[in-house]
Amino acid sequence: MEHLSTKERLRSMNLKEKINYILYYYKFHITVIIVLLVSISFFLVNIINSKEAVLNITLIGKYVDADKQEQLKNKADDTLIKTYKKKKDITFEFLQTNDDPQDDTNSITWQKLTASIDTRQVDIVILDKKDFDTYVKQGLFMKLSTIPDFSSLHLTDSSLVNGKIKALDKTDEPYGINVENLPVLKFINFDSKNKVMCIISNSAHVSKVIDFLKWIYVSKPIY
């Protein structure tokens, strides 16, 4: 019996013995196959359910009402995504900061924001005025006057926030929008005091940025 082939051994066994034999001698192979099948299934499900982000908005502050932020996101999806709604998405991400400059939360937030900008996963960012003053000099934000159709928003000069990129701008130019008391931010309980909204200079969705700005400034959404 010891010199019989696997096929010959199985031939002499009943069904229960065959199953026990296979499970005992081939359990490693079976486990590997199951793991591979599960991994492939998850991969395929993720591909099928994945959505293309057509606009990425990041808010940086101390607090936001997550439920209302989700409501705002859903309203933006319904209003601004015209076709292939099941395959496209508008993302809202909140990154928390703390008044304590030594708090690790702050460094983690800025590291995450930098990484997201480098990979073009941020189009609009809302941040403190002091941070705007720091990052505008680094060329992080898009000059608003150069954006096609931006003038259609009819924003007043007083609502624009100016800055200067060293060696590029001879005078202060508009790189941000003052969003203090902006209704959509009030709706999600986001503290808009001294906050500035900017368009990231490497944004891949500038036209959708303008659509969003028209929605919140011209159409003035109702929730």
Side-chain angles (χ1 to χ4, degrees):
M1 185 73 175
E2 293 180 359
H3 300 290
L4 295 176
S5 66
T6 300
K7 185 176 181 180
E8 292 171 328
R9 291 182 182 184
L10 290 172
R11 187 179 299 160
S12 63
M13 298 178 186
N14 58 38
L15 180 60
K16 183 177 180 181
E17 290 173 334
K18 289 178 180 178
I19 293 173
N20 290 335
Y21 179 87
I22 292 172
L23 290 176
Y24 181 79
Y25 285 101
Y26 297 96
K27 58 184 176 183
F28 174 77
H29 301 79
I30 293 171
T31 300
V32 171
I33 291 172
I34 291 174
V35 169
L36 285 174
L37 289 175
V38 170
S39 299
I40 291 171
S41 297
F42 274 116
F43 178 73
L44 291 175
V45 168
N46 286 334
I47 289 178
I48 293 171
N49 293 330
S50 64
K51 292 185 176 183
E52 175 195 357
V54 296
L55 182 65
N56 302 283
I57 301 162
T58 298
L59 304 97
I60 300 175
K62 297 176 185 176
Y63 174 79
V64 72
D65 186 316
D67 291 335
K68 289 187 175 180
Q69 178 180 289
E70 185 66 17
Q71 290 178 43
L72 177 62
K73 175 234 174 332
N74 292 335
K75 183 72 173 179
D77 283 343
D78 292 340
T79 306
L80 301 177
I81 299 177
K82 305 299 183 183
T83 58
Y84 303 106
K85 290 187 176 183
K86 292 184 178 180
K87 287 294 183 180
K88 296 182 179 181
D89 196 24
I90 293 174
T91 69
F92 283 80
E93 183 174 21
F94 172 70
L95 299 179
Q96 191 172 35
T97 55
N98 191 293
D99 285 336
D100 182 359
Q102 304 302 319
D103 193 295
D104 288 341
T105 301
N106 296 325
S107 59
I108 292 171
T109 286
W110 291 109
Q111 288 172 13
K112 186 170 183 180
L113 178 66
T114 300
S116 297
I117 289 173
D118 288 342
T119 54
R120 305 184 79 180
Q121 296 180 57
V122 182
D123 300 297
I124 294 174
V125 63
I126 298 175
L127 72 174
D128 283 340
K129 176 64 166 58
K130 60 181 177 60
D131 295 317
F132 166 83
D133 292 336
T134 298
Y135 288 102
V136 70
K137 297 174 184 177
Q138 301 176 16
L140 192 65
F141 310 129
M142 192 175 292
K143 187 186 299 185
L144 301 181
S145 58
T146 65
I147 300 175
D149 211 24
F150 183 80
S151 60
S152 65
L153 299 173
H154 302 294
L155 297 178
T156 62
D157 290 342
S158 60
S159 66
L160 302 180
V161 184
N162 293 336
K164 183 189 295 185
I165 300 177
K166 292 180 179 179
L168 288 181
D169 296 327
K170 294 181 180 179
T171 60
D172 285 351
E173 299 285 350
Y175 284 95
I177 305 170
N178 183 348
V179 292
E180 193 161 334
N181 298 319
L182 186 65
V184 291
L185 298 182
K186 284 185 175 182
F187 172 74
I188 61 176
N189 294 332
F190 180 80
D191 183 7
S192 60
K193 185 177 180 179
N194 293 322
K195 291 293 193 298
V196 181
M197 177 163 55
C198 305
I199 302 170
I200 301 301
S201 57
N202 68 348
S203 169
H205 308 109
V206 177
S207 63
K208 191 59 70 176
V209 167
I210 295 299
D211 289 343
F212 176 76
L213 294 179
K214 286 181 179 179
W215 181 54
I216 62 176
Y217 281 107
V218 180
S219 299
K220 297 180 181 179
I222 299 174
Y223 314 99

